[in-house]
């Protein structure tokens, strides 16, 4: 049914995001992936041993890269990052 369709499109979105972030630094990729997995900024900061402000800065830069590479599908970024 429609749930299967939603899951498929979600997987497709994740695949597109993974492709778009492959040129980011390892740390930036990890922040993006952890965000998609539902971790909060403080959780990501603790996991990576960095400050919450650093997490926010990384997310902002990553979002700018993704917005450029995934033009026309900004709604996906809203879903993933709440930006």
């Amino acid at each position: 049914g429609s749930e299967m369709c939603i899951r498929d499109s979600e997987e497709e979105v994740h695949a597109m995001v993974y492709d778009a972030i492959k040129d980011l630094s390892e740390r930036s990729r990890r922040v993006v992936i952890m965000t998609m997995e539902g971790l909060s900024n403080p959780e990501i900061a603790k996991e990576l041993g960095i400050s919450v402000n650093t997490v926010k800065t990384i997310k902002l830069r990553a979002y700018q890269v993704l917005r450029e590479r995934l033009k026309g599908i900004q709604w996906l970024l809203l879903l993933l990052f709440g930006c």
Side-chain angles (χ1 to χ4, degrees), residues 7 9 13 17 22-23 25 27 29 31-32 37 41 43 46 50 52 55-56 69-70 72 76-77 79:
R7 193 168 69 238
S9 60
V13 169
V17 171
K22 70 179 186 287
D23 296 330
S25 71
R27 186 166 71 169
R29 280 197 311 272
V31 168
V32 171
E37 290 171 350
N41 288 351
E43 289 170 329
K46 186 176 179 190
I50 58 179
V52 172
V55 172
K56 289 178 182 176
R69 295 196 180 163
L70 302 176
L76 298 176
L77 298 176
L79 285 175

Side-chain angles (χ1 to χ4, degrees), residues 7-35:
R7 193 168 69 238
D8 287 349
S9 60
E10 191 174 302
E11 287 172 10
E12 193 176 314
V13 169
H14 282 206
M16 291 167 79
V17 171
Y18 282 115
D19 188 56
I21 65 172
K22 70 179 186 287
D23 296 330
L24 296 177
S25 71
E26 163 102 20
R27 186 166 71 169
S28 295
R29 280 197 311 272
R30 289 186 68 194
V31 168
V32 171
I33 290 165
M34 292 165 97
T35 300

